Amino acid sequence: MPTVQNLQGYENAYSEPRFWHKARRSAAAAGRQVLEKALWLYYGAQNPDTPKWARRVIYGALGYFVLPLDAIPDLAPLVGYTDDLGVMAAALGVVALHIDAGVREQARLRLQDWFGTADAVRRPG
């Protein structure tokens, strides 16, 4: 599994059409948690205030996400997206200051479109 330091090799694999294709195709299998992180990164990269260095980290992580061949094949039940989640979590740790409330809200709305509301789970009673 790559580290944040060597995500550059995956940066060229990223493209917006590849991202949306993978996100839509894998929504059910990857689950809300993986897609939430992917969308935070995606919308963070779209934010004009995100510096170039942070975008490079983001594009590297998203490039790893969209590639069909990675450390743990995405088709493997239950564990197929754990490496993708690990890479995205590491990238988020590096660029966290650029994932603001607006970015998280964009991701929440997209996830709500795909999965329905999670309010019943997150807000008891």
Side-chain angles (χ1 to χ4, degrees), residues 48-78:
D49 295 332
T50 300
K52 191 174 187 172
W53 69 264
R55 285 187 188 159
R56 294 191 70 180
V57 170
I58 290 170
Y59 291 144
L62 292 177
Y64 186 82
F65 174 66
V66 301
L67 280 176
L69 300 173
D70 49 34
I72 301 172
D74 294 338
L75 298 175
L78 303 175

Short mmCIF file of all heavy atoms in Angstrom, two decimals, residues 48-78:
data_model
loop_
_atom_site.label_atom_id
_atom_site.label_comp_id
_atom_site.label_asym_id
_atom_site.label_seq_id
_atom_site.Cartn_x
_atom_site.Cartn_y
_atom_site.Cartn_z
N PRO A 48 -11.11 26.31 -4.80
CA PRO A 48 -10.02 27.15 -5.31
C PRO A 48 -9.03 27.59 -4.24
O PRO A 48 -7.90 27.97 -4.55
CB PRO A 48 -10.73 28.37 -5.91
CG PRO A 48 -12.14 28.28 -5.50
CD PRO A 48 -12.42 26.91 -4.99
N ASP A 49 -9.41 27.50 -2.96
CA ASP A 49 -8.51 27.88 -1.88
C ASP A 49 -7.53 26.78 -1.49
O ASP A 49 -6.61 27.01 -0.71
CB ASP A 49 -9.31 28.29 -0.63
CG ASP A 49 -10.13 29.55 -0.88
OD1 ASP A 49 -9.73 30.38 -1.72
OD2 ASP A 49 -11.18 29.70 -0.22
N THR A 50 -7.71 25.59 -2.02
CA THR A 50 -6.81 24.48 -1.71
C THR A 50 -5.49 24.69 -2.46
O THR A 50 -5.50 24.84 -3.68
CB THR A 50 -7.44 23.13 -2.11
OG1 THR A 50 -8.66 22.96 -1.37
CG2 THR A 50 -6.51 21.97 -1.81
N PRO A 51 -4.37 24.71 -1.75
CA PRO A 51 -3.09 24.94 -2.43
C PRO A 51 -2.70 23.79 -3.35
O PRO A 51 -3.17 22.66 -3.19
CB PRO A 51 -2.09 25.09 -1.28
CG PRO A 51 -2.77 24.59 -0.07
CD PRO A 51 -4.24 24.56 -0.31
N LYS A 52 -1.82 24.11 -4.27
CA LYS A 52 -1.39 23.14 -5.27
C LYS A 52 -0.78 21.89 -4.64
O LYS A 52 -1.05 20.77 -5.08
CB LYS A 52 -0.40 23.81 -6.22
CG LYS A 52 -0.09 23.01 -7.44
CD LYS A 52 0.78 23.82 -8.40
CE LYS A 52 0.94 23.07 -9.69
NZ LYS A 52 1.61 23.88 -10.71
N TRP A 53 0.04 22.04 -3.61
CA TRP A 53 0.68 20.89 -2.99
C TRP A 53 -0.37 19.94 -2.41
O TRP A 53 -0.22 18.72 -2.50
CB TRP A 53 1.69 21.29 -1.92
CG TRP A 53 1.07 21.89 -0.68
CD1 TRP A 53 0.91 23.22 -0.40
CD2 TRP A 53 0.51 21.18 0.43
NE1 TRP A 53 0.28 23.37 0.81
CE2 TRP A 53 0.02 22.13 1.34
CE3 TRP A 53 0.36 19.83 0.74
CZ2 TRP A 53 -0.59 21.80 2.54
CZ3 TRP A 53 -0.26 19.48 1.93
CH2 TRP A 53 -0.73 20.45 2.82
N ALA A 54 -1.44 20.51 -1.82
CA ALA A 54 -2.50 19.67 -1.24
C ALA A 54 -3.28 18.95 -2.34
O ALA A 54 -3.66 17.79 -2.18
CB ALA A 54 -3.43 20.52 -0.38
N ARG A 55 -3.50 19.63 -3.45
CA ARG A 55 -4.19 19.00 -4.58
C ARG A 55 -3.39 17.81 -5.11
O ARG A 55 -3.95 16.80 -5.49
CB ARG A 55 -4.42 20.00 -5.69
CG ARG A 55 -5.51 20.95 -5.37
CD ARG A 55 -5.85 21.82 -6.54
NE ARG A 55 -6.78 22.82 -6.04
CZ ARG A 55 -7.01 23.96 -6.59
NH1 ARG A 55 -6.41 24.27 -7.70
NH2 ARG A 55 -7.86 24.79 -6.06
N ARG A 56 -2.09 17.93 -5.12
CA ARG A 56 -1.26 16.82 -5.59
C ARG A 56 -1.41 15.60 -4.69
O ARG A 56 -1.50 14.47 -5.16
CB ARG A 56 0.20 17.25 -5.70
CG ARG A 56 0.37 18.31 -6.81
CD ARG A 56 1.77 18.56 -7.12
NE ARG A 56 2.27 17.35 -7.79
CZ ARG A 56 3.49 17.21 -8.21
NH1 ARG A 56 4.34 18.17 -8.06
NH2 ARG A 56 3.87 16.11 -8.81
N VAL A 57 -1.44 15.83 -3.39
CA VAL A 57 -1.67 14.73 -2.44
C VAL A 57 -3.05 14.12 -2.69
O VAL A 57 -3.21 12.89 -2.75
CB VAL A 57 -1.54 15.23 -0.98
CG1 VAL A 57 -2.01 14.16 0.01
CG2 VAL A 57 -0.11 15.64 -0.68
N ILE A 58 -4.05 14.98 -2.85
CA ILE A 58 -5.43 14.52 -3.08
C ILE A 58 -5.51 13.72 -4.37
O ILE A 58 -6.10 12.63 -4.40
CB ILE A 58 -6.40 15.72 -3.10
CG1 ILE A 58 -6.53 16.31 -1.69
CG2 ILE A 58 -7.75 15.31 -3.67
CD1 ILE A 58 -7.27 17.64 -1.64
N TYR A 59 -4.95 14.24 -5.45
CA TYR A 59 -5.03 13.54 -6.73
C TYR A 59 -4.29 12.20 -6.68
O TYR A 59 -4.70 11.24 -7.32
CB TYR A 59 -4.50 14.41 -7.87
CG TYR A 59 -5.39 15.59 -8.17
CD1 TYR A 59 -4.85 16.81 -8.56
CD2 TYR A 59 -6.78 15.51 -8.07
CE1 TYR A 59 -5.66 17.90 -8.84
CE2 TYR A 59 -7.59 16.59 -8.34
CZ TYR A 59 -7.02 17.79 -8.73
OH TYR A 59 -7.81 18.86 -9.00
N GLY A 60 -3.22 12.13 -5.91
CA GLY A 60 -2.54 10.85 -5.74
C GLY A 60 -3.42 9.83 -5.05
O GLY A 60 -3.52 8.68 -5.48
N ALA A 61 -4.09 10.25 -3.97
CA ALA A 61 -4.98 9.34 -3.24
C ALA A 61 -6.17 8.93 -4.11
O ALA A 61 -6.56 7.76 -4.13
CB ALA A 61 -5.47 9.99 -1.95
N LEU A 62 -6.74 9.89 -4.84
CA LEU A 62 -7.88 9.56 -5.70
C LEU A 62 -7.44 8.72 -6.90
O LEU A 62 -8.20 7.88 -7.38
CB LEU A 62 -8.59 10.84 -6.16
CG LEU A 62 -9.32 11.60 -5.05
CD1 LEU A 62 -9.94 12.88 -5.60
CD2 LEU A 62 -10.36 10.73 -4.36
N GLY A 63 -6.21 8.92 -7.36
CA GLY A 63 -5.67 8.07 -8.42
C GLY A 63 -5.57 6.63 -7.97
O GLY A 63 -5.90 5.70 -8.70
N TYR A 64 -5.14 6.42 -6.73
CA TYR A 64 -5.08 5.07 -6.17
C TYR A 64 -6.49 4.48 -6.08
O TYR A 64 -6.70 3.31 -6.38
CB TYR A 64 -4.42 5.11 -4.78
CG TYR A 64 -4.20 3.73 -4.20
CD1 TYR A 64 -3.10 2.98 -4.57
CD2 TYR A 64 -5.10 3.18 -3.30
CE1 TYR A 64 -2.89 1.71 -4.05
CE2 TYR A 64 -4.91 1.91 -2.77
CZ TYR A 64 -3.80 1.18 -3.16
OH TYR A 64 -3.60 -0.07 -2.65
N PHE A 65 -7.45 5.30 -5.68
CA PHE A 65 -8.83 4.85 -5.57
C PHE A 65 -9.41 4.40 -6.92
O PHE A 65 -10.09 3.39 -6.99
CB PHE A 65 -9.69 5.98 -4.97
CG PHE A 65 -11.16 5.70 -4.93
CD1 PHE A 65 -11.67 4.70 -4.11
CD2 PHE A 65 -12.04 6.45 -5.67
CE1 PHE A 65 -13.04 4.45 -4.04
CE2 PHE A 65 -13.41 6.21 -5.62
CZ PHE A 65 -13.91 5.21 -4.80
N VAL A 66 -9.11 5.13 -7.99
CA VAL A 66 -9.72 4.81 -9.28
C VAL A 66 -9.02 3.68 -10.01
O VAL A 66 -9.60 3.06 -10.91
CB VAL A 66 -9.84 6.03 -10.22
CG1 VAL A 66 -10.66 7.13 -9.58
CG2 VAL A 66 -8.48 6.55 -10.68
N LEU A 67 -7.77 3.37 -9.65
CA LEU A 67 -7.07 2.28 -10.33
C LEU A 67 -7.70 0.94 -9.97
O LEU A 67 -7.94 0.66 -8.79
CB LEU A 67 -5.60 2.26 -9.95
CG LEU A 67 -4.73 3.27 -10.68
CD1 LEU A 67 -3.31 3.22 -10.14
CD2 LEU A 67 -4.71 3.02 -12.17
N PRO A 68 -7.94 0.10 -10.95
CA PRO A 68 -8.56 -1.19 -10.66
C PRO A 68 -7.63 -2.17 -9.96
O PRO A 68 -8.08 -3.06 -9.26
CB PRO A 68 -8.98 -1.72 -12.03
CG PRO A 68 -8.11 -1.01 -13.00
CD PRO A 68 -7.77 0.32 -12.38
N LEU A 69 -6.34 -2.03 -10.13
CA LEU A 69 -5.38 -2.94 -9.49
C LEU A 69 -4.71 -2.20 -8.36
O LEU A 69 -4.04 -1.21 -8.55
CB LEU A 69 -4.33 -3.39 -10.51
CG LEU A 69 -4.88 -4.15 -11.72
CD1 LEU A 69 -3.77 -4.40 -12.71
CD2 LEU A 69 -5.51 -5.45 -11.28
N ASP A 70 -4.90 -2.70 -7.16
CA ASP A 70 -4.22 -2.12 -6.01
C ASP A 70 -3.84 -3.23 -5.04
O ASP A 70 -3.97 -4.41 -5.37
CB ASP A 70 -5.04 -1.01 -5.36
CG ASP A 70 -6.49 -1.38 -5.08
OD1 ASP A 70 -6.75 -2.56 -4.76
OD2 ASP A 70 -7.35 -0.51 -5.17
N ALA A 71 -3.39 -2.86 -3.87
CA ALA A 71 -2.85 -3.85 -2.91
C ALA A 71 -3.87 -4.93 -2.57
O ALA A 71 -3.54 -6.09 -2.48
CB ALA A 71 -2.37 -3.14 -1.65
N ILE A 72 -5.12 -4.53 -2.35
CA ILE A 72 -6.19 -5.49 -2.07
C ILE A 72 -7.25 -5.26 -3.14
O ILE A 72 -7.83 -4.18 -3.21
CB ILE A 72 -6.80 -5.27 -0.67
CG1 ILE A 72 -5.72 -5.41 0.41
CG2 ILE A 72 -7.94 -6.26 -0.42
CD1 ILE A 72 -6.18 -5.03 1.80
N PRO A 73 -7.50 -6.24 -4.01
CA PRO A 73 -8.47 -6.03 -5.08
C PRO A 73 -9.83 -5.60 -4.54
O PRO A 73 -10.32 -6.13 -3.54
CB PRO A 73 -8.56 -7.40 -5.75
CG PRO A 73 -7.29 -8.09 -5.39
CD PRO A 73 -6.91 -7.56 -4.03
N ASP A 74 -10.44 -4.60 -5.21
CA ASP A 74 -11.71 -4.05 -4.75
C ASP A 74 -12.84 -5.07 -4.82
O ASP A 74 -13.88 -4.87 -4.20
CB ASP A 74 -12.07 -2.81 -5.57
CG ASP A 74 -11.09 -1.67 -5.32
OD1 ASP A 74 -10.42 -1.68 -4.27
OD2 ASP A 74 -11.00 -0.78 -6.17
N LEU A 75 -12.65 -6.15 -5.53
CA LEU A 75 -13.69 -7.17 -5.64
C LEU A 75 -13.71 -8.11 -4.44
O LEU A 75 -14.66 -8.87 -4.26
CB LEU A 75 -13.50 -7.98 -6.92
CG LEU A 75 -13.60 -7.17 -8.22
CD1 LEU A 75 -13.26 -8.06 -9.41
CD2 LEU A 75 -14.98 -6.57 -8.38
N ALA A 76 -12.68 -8.08 -3.62
CA ALA A 76 -12.61 -8.95 -2.44
C ALA A 76 -13.68 -8.53 -1.44
O ALA A 76 -13.71 -7.38 -1.01
CB ALA A 76 -11.23 -8.88 -1.80
N PRO A 77 -14.55 -9.46 -1.06
CA PRO A 77 -15.63 -9.11 -0.12
C PRO A 77 -15.08 -8.59 1.20
O PRO A 77 -14.11 -9.09 1.73
CB PRO A 77 -16.37 -10.43 0.09
CG PRO A 77 -15.90 -11.34 -0.99
CD PRO A 77 -14.56 -10.86 -1.44
N LEU A 78 -15.72 -7.57 1.73
CA LEU A 78 -15.46 -6.96 3.04
C LEU A 78 -14.14 -6.22 3.17
O LEU A 78 -14.07 -5.23 3.86
CB LEU A 78 -15.57 -8.00 4.17
CG LEU A 78 -16.90 -8.73 4.26
CD1 LEU A 78 -16.83 -9.80 5.35
CD2 LEU A 78 -18.04 -7.78 4.55
#
